[in-house]
Structures are given as C-alpha cells and as structure tokens.
C-alpha cells in the first residue's frame, strides 16, 4: 500500500517522498526507494526519540550507539535524508568519524 501511495505522489508531481516513522518502516523505505527515483526522506518521529531517551535513562541501552545505528539503518534501507531530533548529535558523530 505504501508503494502505491508513493507512486501516486510521484504522478501528482512530488519532488521528494517521506516515510515515517523510520525505524518501524525500514522495509517500506527500501520498497519505496526501489520503486521510485525521487529523493526519499526517513522521518524518525518523536516516539522513536523518546523511546531511546527512556531506555538510555533506565540504563538499558547505550544511547550514542543506538542513535548511530538507527541512523545508519535508515540510510542502509535506502533513505537519502534523515529527519531526526538527534540531528546535532549525529552531525557530531559524523564529524568524529563514528559513522560515515
């Protein structure tokens, strides 16, 4: 269904496509990327951010590692752009060479 909607958006003149939430729909990101030629944004929504923050606060995850890996997974799935509340932190991780 998501691919059908994306193709409809393309026919209607979209300049860019977006999939949200990012982490739960990595398969959709991949399918939309394969079916279209437009730039594709993955939107990591506030719930994903809050989930990582809460898990880190409870000591369940290493927030930095999970933040980096979640960003990489969106790009690996086919996203060209990532919209995220971690934008500044990810820019710093890229500057440091922790992610490419």
């Amino acid at each position: 269904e998501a691919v059908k909607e994306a193709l409809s958006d393309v026919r209607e003149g979209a300049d860019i496509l977006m999939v949200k939430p990012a982490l739960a729909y990595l398969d959709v990101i991949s399918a939309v990327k394969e079916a279209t030629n437009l730039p594709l944004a993955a939107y990591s929504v506030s719930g994903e951010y809050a989930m990582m923050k809460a898990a880190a606060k409870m000591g369940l995850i290493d927030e930095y590692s999970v933040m980096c890996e979640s960003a990489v997974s969106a790009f690996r799935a086919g996203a060209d752009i990532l919209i995220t509340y971690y934008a500044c932190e990810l820019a710093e991780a890229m500057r440091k060479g922790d992610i490419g």
Side-chain angles (χ1 to χ4, degrees), residues 24-88:
Y25 292 115
L26 294 173
D27 59 329
V28 173
I29 292 169
S30 181
V32 169
K33 186 62 176 184
E34 190 173 309
T36 68
N37 292 322
L38 289 178
L40 179 58
Y43 186 162
S44 182
V45 296
S46 60
E48 294 168 337
Y49 177 78
M51 176 180 63
M52 287 187 256
K53 285 290 192 184
K57 185 176 181 177
M58 295 183 343
L60 300 173
I61 64 168
D62 172 10
E63 183 179 7
Y64 187 81
S65 296
V66 171
M67 172 198 69
C68 290
E69 190 59 34
S70 67
V72 169
S73 70
F75 289 111
R76 199 171 47 238
D80 299 298
I81 300 161
L82 178 62
I83 301 168
T84 175
Y85 293 92
Y86 281 118
C88 292

